[in-house]
Amino acid sequence: MAQSRHVVAIPFAGRGHINPMMVLSRQLIACGIHVTFIVTEEWHGLINSSHPLPPPELNFMTIPNCIPSEHGRGKDHKDFVKAVFIEMTEPVEKLRDRLEQVPRAIIADTALPWAVDMGNRRGIPVCSLFTGSAAFFSVLLNFEKLPQPENPHLLVRENDELVEKYIPGIRSIKLSDIDEIYVASLELALQAVSTARKAQCMLFTSFYELESCVIDSLREDLNYPVYTIGPSVPHLFPPEAKSSDHLTWLDNQPKNSVLYISLGSFLSVSRSQFEEIAMGIHASKVKFLWVARENLSLVQEYCGDNGLVVPWCDQLNVLRHPSVGGFLTHCGFNSTLETLFAGIPVLALPILWDQKSNGRLLADEWNTGFNLRDIRGKDGILSREEIKLAVMKFMDLEKTEAKEIRKRALDWSRTSKIAVKEGGSSFVSLKKFISDFIDRVEC
Ligand SMILES: O=c1ccn([C@@H]2O[C@H](COP(=O)(O)OP(=O)(O)O[C@H]3O[C@H](CO)[C@@H](O)[C@H](O)[C@H]3O)[C@@H](O)[C@H]2O)c(=O)[nH]1
């Protein structure tokens, strides 16, 4: 059967994974490649009802809702990941059988190890897309080199030793920044990352300039190509900013005066920590725009009327708005890339998994913000007073420290935009990926 320039994209079911896979799909479509995007029926509905809409050329294929619903999945994240590992395999295999043409490649999220086995069984190259930082990928890939005591979580929690001592290429991340990996779905993650060694190449949503040391060391370690194609942010294809109440509100605020707050698309902080943050924001008197998925009126009540609380927004449009001067973020890697791209400094409040290492990178390596983890008390909770003082210092445009991180944020914005422009590192890397994996078979 003749093969056209066709790939199958299989994202992990989560906003932080679907968004970057969608960006890559758009990039491929722009190069004239056909993309079949496989998601659950629920995610098909969610994607088609959120802004920006997927490109009309994208061919969706859906599987039944065989995993827990996106609504409320944060309540049992481990079970959710387990279900994705087990339940999606068979329905995706069945779909594959219905494809009219053998795709030239399967681009699968690294968190879907079964996709690598599926491609290898059928002789289709699998390109593994990692949606976190290359540094975090390297931590997982080299996990056995880290200290492995009986109770590693206790050992690393307060350990400020640099991971670099054990894993080359990772400069600023400390052992205490990766304590979460010992308590989260570690076994599944290690299985996923080690299976990625059996894929035919790795794709990173990061960009070379951002993580050059770790990318170089991964290139030495992995015996297949490693492509950096990011920052994979939606504004490579600028959606029209749809008018909305919060954008109108932002239009009426002074330049750089608003703190944008989003603590993730599905996981949140504890109730007590939430109260401290909200009271701290209130006391700082700084203008804010807070995206909260639930309890909107409660958030508004705690924070006062110096800002707005909304259930969802087009994040990149908000970050690009001239009134926004800072981002209080949980440091999901997409938010990390988006804020670097927009040139907005951060107050890092990482919650779990890779987020603590992203917070470290943002504050200590890329120097675009302050890491709130570093000022928390012994109980791990940040008090309202600490939040208030940190927010005031961060948003005070006259303070030298705040000026410095703003300057660095703008530098990274420029560098990231150059990376994706014609001739830039990610532009070249994507073209190389296409010629190596999609155009290598003659039509
Ligand atoms: O109101 C909102 C809130 C979020 N977003 C978007 O949703 C995505 C959220 O992604 P991310 O910032 O990465 O957060 P999570 O969804 O929490 O990301 C999960 O996936 C990431 C990538 O693997 C990991 O780094 C995180 O730890 C993990 O929680 C981003 O593109 C945001 O722009 C919006 O568009 N509007």
Side-chain angles (χ1 to χ4, degrees), residues 15-17 19 131-132 260 262 264-267 291 312-316 330-335 338 352-355 358:
R15 181 59 71 180
H17 296 255
N19 281 10
T131 57
Y260 169 61
S262 172
S265 60
F266 72 99
L267 287 161
V291 171
W312 189 255
C313 70
D314 180 355
Q315 180 163 295
L316 209 39
H330 75 309
C331 305
F333 197 59
N334 296 288
S335 294
E338 288 163 18
L352 51 72
W353 195 232
D354 62 334
Q355 297 158 13
N358 297 337

Side-chain angles (χ1 to χ4, degrees), residues 111-398:
L112 304 176
W114 45 264
V116 178
D117 297 330
M118 183 175 84
N120 287 347
R121 265 198 321 279
R122 293 169 187 253
I124 305 168
V126 180
C127 311
S128 187
L129 177 73
F130 192 71
T131 57
S133 72
F136 192 67
F137 177 83
S138 184
V139 166
L140 293 174
L141 193 71
N142 292 291
F143 177 75
E144 79 289 346
K145 295 180 185 158
L146 293 171
Q148 306 285 329
E150 250 170 55
N151 190 340
H153 181 56
L154 285 183
L155 178 93
V156 298
R157 198 158 45 195
E158 302 301 334
N159 192 336
D160 278 346
E161 211 169 35
L162 289 172
V163 169
E164 189 176 31
K165 184 173 163 196
Y166 306 97
I167 305 174
I170 297 177
R171 290 186 308 199
S172 61
I173 298 173
K174 300 172 181 177
L175 281 177
S176 53
D177 296 322
I178 54 166
D179 61 349
E180 276 294 339
I181 69 172
Y182 293 96
V183 286
S185 314
L186 178 61
E187 262 171 50
L188 296 177
L190 293 181
Q191 184 194 334
V193 167
S194 69
T195 307
R197 282 193 185 272
K198 294 192 279 172
Q200 277 65 48
C201 71
M202 273 312 297
L203 294 157
F204 286 100
T205 58
S206 188
F207 53 106
Y208 182 74
E209 291 78 359
L210 194 65
E211 298 195 87
S212 54
C213 287
V214 74
I215 298 287
D216 288 344
S217 99
L218 283 171
R219 284 192 169 134
E220 268 181 37
D221 180 9
L222 295 166
N223 58 0
Y224 56 52
V226 171
Y227 304 98
T228 45
I229 55 167
S232 304
V233 298
H235 275 57
L236 297 181
F237 302 88
E240 267 176 44
K242 271 195 181 165
S243 67
S244 61
D245 290 350
H246 60 269
L247 287 179
T248 311
W249 179 80
L250 281 175
D251 288 344
N252 292 313
Q253 307 307 320
K255 194 164 179 264
N256 288 334
S257 69
V258 176
L259 178 67
Y260 169 61
I261 306 170
S262 172
L263 299 175
S265 60
F266 72 99
L267 287 161
S268 272
V269 291
S270 65
R271 171 72 192 237
S272 51
Q273 182 63 88
F274 153 72
E275 284 180 14
E276 293 305 308
I277 298 171
M279 302 299 263
I281 300 288
H282 192 177
S284 75
K285 299 196 168 59
V286 160
K287 301 250 182 193
F288 65 88
L289 173 63
W290 187 325
V291 171
R293 282 170 311 285
E294 44 197 36
N295 298 328
L296 272 78
S297 49
L298 187 75
V299 181
Q300 187 81 64
E301 189 188 314
Y302 272 103
C303 293
D305 52 11
N306 216 15
L308 279 191
V309 183
V310 294
W312 189 255
C313 70
D314 180 355
Q315 180 163 295
L316 209 39
N317 265 333
V318 166
L319 287 171
R320 286 190 337 156
H321 195 287
S323 300
V324 172
F327 183 10
L328 173 55
T329 170
H330 75 309
C331 305
F333 197 59
N334 296 288
S335 294
T336 298
L337 290 175
E338 288 163 18
T339 203
L340 287 168
F341 189 78
I344 297 295
V346 299
L347 263 184
L349 185 61
I351 301 167
L352 51 72
W353 195 232
D354 62 334
Q355 297 158 13
K356 294 180 180 176
S357 58
N358 297 337
R360 178 67 56 206
L361 291 166
L362 281 161
D364 289 15
E365 196 160 321
W366 305 326
N367 301 313
T368 65
F370 304 141
N371 193 348
L372 290 173
R373 272 197 94 211
D374 292 341
I375 57 165
R376 74 202 191 286
K378 275 216 162 13
D379 57 358
I381 298 275
L382 282 154
S383 71
R384 63 192 68 178
E385 186 62 15
E386 285 161 341
I387 304 257
K388 177 187 110 179
L389 293 176
V391 167
M392 286 168 71
K393 178 171 108 177
F394 177 67
M395 294 300 287
D396 185 343
L397 304 179
E398 297 311 314

